[in-house]
Amino acid sequence: MKRNIKLFGAAALVTAALPAVAPAQTGDARIALSNNYAGNSWRQAMLESWEKAGTQAVEEGVVAAADAFTTSENQATEQAAQIQNMILQGYDAIVVNAASPTALNGAIAEACDAGITVVSFDGIVTEPCAWRIAVDFKEMGRQQVEYLASRLPDGGNLLEIRGLAGVFVDDEIHAGIQQGVEEYPQFEIVGSVHGDWAQDVAQKAVAGVLPSLPEIDGVVTQGGDGYGAAQAIDAAGRDMPIIVMGNRQDEMQWWAEQRDANGYETLSLSIAPGVSTLALWVAQQILAGNEVPKDLTVPFLVVTQDTLDEALAATPEGSVANVEYSLEDAQAVIEDAKAAE
Amino acid sequence: MADATADRPSAVLSIHRRPWFWAWVASAVAFVATLMLTEGRGGGDLLSAALTFASFSAIVGIGQMFVITLGPGNVDLSIPATMTLAGTLSLKFMDGATGLILPGLAVALGVGLGAGVTNYLLIRVLRIPPIIATLSASFLYQSLAIWSNRGLRIKPPAALSDFTTGATLGVPNLALVGLGIALAAWLLLERSTFGRWISAFGQNERAARLSGVPVEFVRAVTFIGAAALAGLTGYLLASFSGGAALNMGQEYLLISIAVVVIGGCSIAGGYSNVPGIWGGALFMFLIVSMLNSYGLGAGVRLIVTGAIIIAIVAAASGKEST
């Protein structure tokens, strides 16, 4: 009998159809989301995904609570205080999108000492006791050049739109793009501007640098900046280069319009804001006593010419293409990480 | 210096002593330096882009200039949030309908007026210093923007979008709007009683009060006017860039203060000028374009921008001209 129950439990853990049965032992667990910033559409979608998955998980009795908290000022000190409050409130796990990879380490270590499971994602922390669900931003940059090489075998001139100067993510994607250009030396980066991941800033920066640039064949971006670049290039009356997009609805909308008008083709890739739900399930898996490697990698959400209409239809106007991850997705990511170890 | 210029007409003699002179010189230098890279090609494009983007900075800068003129501690930190809220609400209200362009403008200006009145009441009724009052109010406005639309981008009506990205007789429409507002601001500051009141307030509030200047009225109109201009800019910027975004106003906090300082206005208040705002706004765009065109890294760009701003402010404050 006892053995049967164990077998049943093990089977349920890997059975896709029965997510509510497996984690019965986490039914009392309370999970908190510590979020450092909410001021753009990506973060808004991230919070919505969390709310959706969290509410469902609570209703199904998988966890007792999945509360989201966002700091107002995007400051590490403020977030550290927020995490300390969560420790006092007795959460079993804290899922954190961190304002800084290092500045929260003290608060994170306190949480670990109090026996709390800490899972960081997107904005990860370096404190060894925490789990990290990281994005391979470098690969994200490299793949853009790889795609352009498949479209333009003879290479050409690239315009690079970077993010916010001095931020880790910007350096990583930039390094990936440089690596891509080394792999495909037929490409040359002839101009580089900072678009701060915002359409209007990118539009302004590109409009300012275009007059001094030769013909552009491709634009590599970091997400949230492709539509602004397209508008600036269009306003200057130049031929439209291949602009790699970042899954924003306005970017995909523009892409679909161009495709219908003149057969425009490109690629779009980014991280789905629903990565917050992946982190939620990973935290739940750890609480359920499963062995989970400390370093996990988030899959990219890629939109191609073939999936454009589908992605566009599923994305609310003005938002960003999204998927919510399920318990099974989380288990697959964990298995991948175990296999890589 | 005096010998060399003694035989020139007096207008030329004194122009370099104008506080706004150095901002315009720096803009011209940045413009020419960028064009040297292309051997003169693309000058028209660059000028048109500069006029377009500088008009946003100029309009919020003019509002900020009036606030800063009121004297130490007077600055409006709620400009980015007011822009975001006005852009978000007005685009949501219009929802792409051409017939609602003017009512949409009224919504944006109404948001600006509401923000201005709130700012002023916090300062007056609760006696909160303007920096703290406008900063804390900005959280309120930003939250309202998030709450009202959760960051979704709604496209502006096509006619409005065409107007904001278009040009009349070769001059970008936005620049015409920005120059019109600048002209009105110049008349207000230099030729009206109200302008004298603002300057008097900034030079010495107590003396102004004792000489019969209605100081609270001046302060109220200034803060409300600045917020209304921020609302207008939010409306224009959202229409220009294809929709409102939650972070659309972010860079305009620093820019609105920078153009005031670069334009040769006294940061301590009391002495301001309007031409300098446009000079500063053009400079802030052209310097970034120039450094981007020369392919300098972000770190170098920031250092050079900082060094040039210090040089302009030092030159404009007249320490060098003896």
Side-chain angles (χ1 to χ4, degrees):
Chain A
M1 185 66 193
K2 213 172 181 183
R3 204 173 138 206
N4 275 347
I5 291 173
K6 263 190 188 164
L7 271 177
F8 178 72
L13 264 179
V14 291
T15 306
L18 298 167
V21 180
Q25 65 268 50
T26 59
D28 296 333
R30 295 166 65 236
I31 301 179
L33 170 66
S34 163
N35 175 40
N36 64 316
Y37 183 62
N40 60 34
S41 56
W42 196 93
R43 290 295 178 113
Q44 286 297 319
M46 183 194 98
L47 289 168
E48 267 182 85
S49 288
W50 172 277
E51 200 179 309
K52 218 191 285 181
T55 311
Q56 201 188 341
V58 171
E59 274 171 10
E60 289 174 358
V62 184
V63 293
D67 307 322
F69 302 93
T70 299
T71 57
S72 59
E73 267 288 72
N74 193 10
Q75 292 290 329
T77 43
E78 197 186 354
Q79 198 175 12
Q82 183 194 48
I83 289 172
Q84 279 158 344
N85 285 336
M86 290 172 177
I87 299 171
L88 294 175
Q89 286 167 12
Y91 282 99
D92 300 290
I94 298 174
V95 174
V96 55
N97 192 344
S100 152
T102 50
L104 296 177
N105 283 352
I108 303 274
E110 278 178 46
C112 292
D113 291 345
I116 298 169
T117 300
V118 180
V119 177
S120 62
F121 72 102
D122 186 37
I124 54 169
V125 295
T126 55
E127 168 58 45
C129 76
W131 275 260
R132 284 166 294 278
I133 306 179
V135 178
D136 192 348
F137 289 110
K138 212 169 165 182
E139 178 63 15
M140 199 163 143
R142 200 196 63 81
Q143 277 188 11
Q144 297 188 41
V145 185
E146 191 176 71
Y147 168 74
L148 288 174
S150 75
R151 290 287 310 281
L152 305 165
D154 296 335
N157 293 332
L158 301 185
L159 170 63
E160 181 186 6
I161 304 179
R162 299 186 56 167
L164 203 55
V167 177
F168 164 79
V169 175
D170 170 59
D171 290 334
E172 284 292 297
I173 299 181
H174 172 68
I177 286 169
Q178 283 202 315
Q179 192 192 334
V181 172
E182 275 165 30
E183 276 176 39
Y184 301 97
Q186 64 269 41
F187 288 103
E188 189 195 352
I189 296 178
V190 293
S192 168
V193 299
H194 282 268
D196 297 3
W197 302 306
Q199 305 289 5
D200 55 332
V201 179
Q203 186 180 3
K204 183 169 162 179
V206 173
V209 78
L210 268 184
S212 66
L213 294 182
E215 196 184 331
I216 305 290
D217 302 294
V219 181
V220 282
T221 65
Q222 296 201 351
D225 40 17
Y227 179 68
Q231 286 203 313
I233 293 168
D234 189 43
R238 286 187 173 227
D239 290 340
M240 194 56 68
I242 301 173
I243 304 173
V244 181
M245 295 297 183
N247 290 2
R248 268 60 171 187
Q249 190 267 348
D250 46 9
E251 296 176 342
M252 295 191 291
Q253 173 98 44
W254 178 87
W255 174 11
E257 281 163 14
Q258 295 293 308
R259 179 199 59 191
D260 296 342
N262 55 36
Y264 190 81
E265 273 185 54
T266 185
L267 178 81
S268 178
L269 76 168
S270 186
I271 304 303
V275 61
S276 58
T277 60
L278 184 67
L280 173 69
W281 291 120
V282 166
Q284 185 270 334
Q285 285 290 294
I286 300 166
L287 289 175
N290 291 324
E291 191 200 328
V292 177
K294 286 271 162 126
D295 286 287
L296 303 169
T297 307
V298 183
F300 298 127
L301 182 59
V302 178
V303 179
T304 64
Q305 204 76 11
D306 298 330
T307 60
L308 172 59
D309 286 322
E310 193 188 328
L312 193 53
T315 307
E317 193 170 324
S319 189
V320 53
N322 197 4
V323 286
E324 265 118 37
Y325 295 93
S326 63
L327 176 59
E328 298 74 51
D329 293 329
Q331 285 165 341
V333 168
I334 292 168
E335 288 309 316
D336 284 352
K338 276 185 188 162
E341 267 181 352
Chain B
M1 190 74 184
D3 289 341
T5 53
D7 53 349
R8 293 194 196 156
S10 61
V12 176
L13 181 77
S14 62
I15 192 167
H16 77 276
R17 288 179 191 265
R18 300 275 179 167
W20 45 262
F21 177 71
W22 295 103
W24 282 91
V25 168
S27 300
V29 170
F31 183 73
V32 171
T34 310
L35 288 190
M36 270 163 48
L37 262 187
T38 64
E39 289 143 3
R41 278 177 293 107
D45 287 346
L46 184 62
L47 188 61
S48 146
L51 283 170
T52 303
F53 288 102
S55 52
F56 299 122
S57 321
I59 299 172
V60 287
I62 285 168
Q64 189 72 278
M65 176 198 81
F66 280 115
V67 173
I68 287 177
T69 310
L70 292 179
N74 284 291
V75 62
D76 185 352
L77 300 184
S78 70
I79 281 177
T82 306
M83 286 172 66
T84 306
L85 184 61
T88 304
L89 291 186
S90 61
L91 265 77
K92 191 181 178 191
F93 171 77
M94 291 186 285
D95 199 18
T98 305
L100 293 177
I101 290 179
L102 287 178
L105 175 62
V107 167
L109 291 174
V111 168
L113 291 175
V117 169
T118 310
N119 288 344
Y120 176 69
L121 290 180
L122 289 176
I123 295 165
R124 179 75 207 275
V125 179
L126 300 182
R127 297 179 172 274
I128 304 173
I131 291 180
I132 309 296
T134 54
L135 180 66
S136 47
S138 75
F139 292 132
L140 179 69
Y141 308 149
Q142 185 75 22
S143 303
L144 280 175
I146 292 176
W147 171 75
S148 69
N149 214 21
R150 299 212 70 153
L152 300 187
R153 261 170 104 88
I154 296 171
K155 292 259 176 280
L160 180 59
S161 170
D162 290 346
F163 171 78
T164 50
T165 52
T168 306
L169 300 174
V171 183
N173 290 332
L174 283 175
L176 295 174
V177 173
L179 290 169
I181 289 172
L183 182 65
W186 182 81
L187 288 172
L188 187 69
L189 182 68
E190 306 284 345
R191 292 285 179 271
S192 78
T193 315
F194 186 77
R196 300 294 149 88
W197 285 348
I198 293 182
S199 296
F201 187 118
Q203 285 160 20
N204 189 327
E205 185 187 338
R206 189 171 143 81
R209 191 193 303 269
L210 292 175
S211 58
V213 173
V215 287
E216 284 310 328
F217 171 74
V218 170
R219 198 207 297 262
V221 171
T222 305
F223 272 93
I224 293 169
L229 287 175
L232 173 67
T233 311
Y235 172 81
L236 293 173
L237 179 61
S239 305
F240 175 80
S241 58
L246 286 177
N247 50 3
M248 62 182 265
Q250 226 164 38
E251 63 169 346
Y252 288 91
L253 177 58
L254 203 68
I255 286 183
S256 72
I257 298 171
V259 297
V260 172
V261 176
I262 295 169
C265 305
S266 167
I267 195 71
Y271 303 92
S272 290
N273 74 88
V274 176
I277 302 297
W278 257 98
L282 287 169
F283 169 76
M284 288 300 283
F285 179 81
L286 288 166
I287 188 70
V288 174
S289 295
M290 179 188 93
L291 297 173
N292 273 337
S293 297
Y294 278 87
L296 297 175
V300 180
R301 280 199 295 246
L302 291 175
I303 292 171
V304 172
T305 309
I308 295 176
I309 291 176
I310 292 171
I312 296 174
V313 174
S317 68
K319 297 281 191 309
E320 291 177 355
S321 57
T322 43

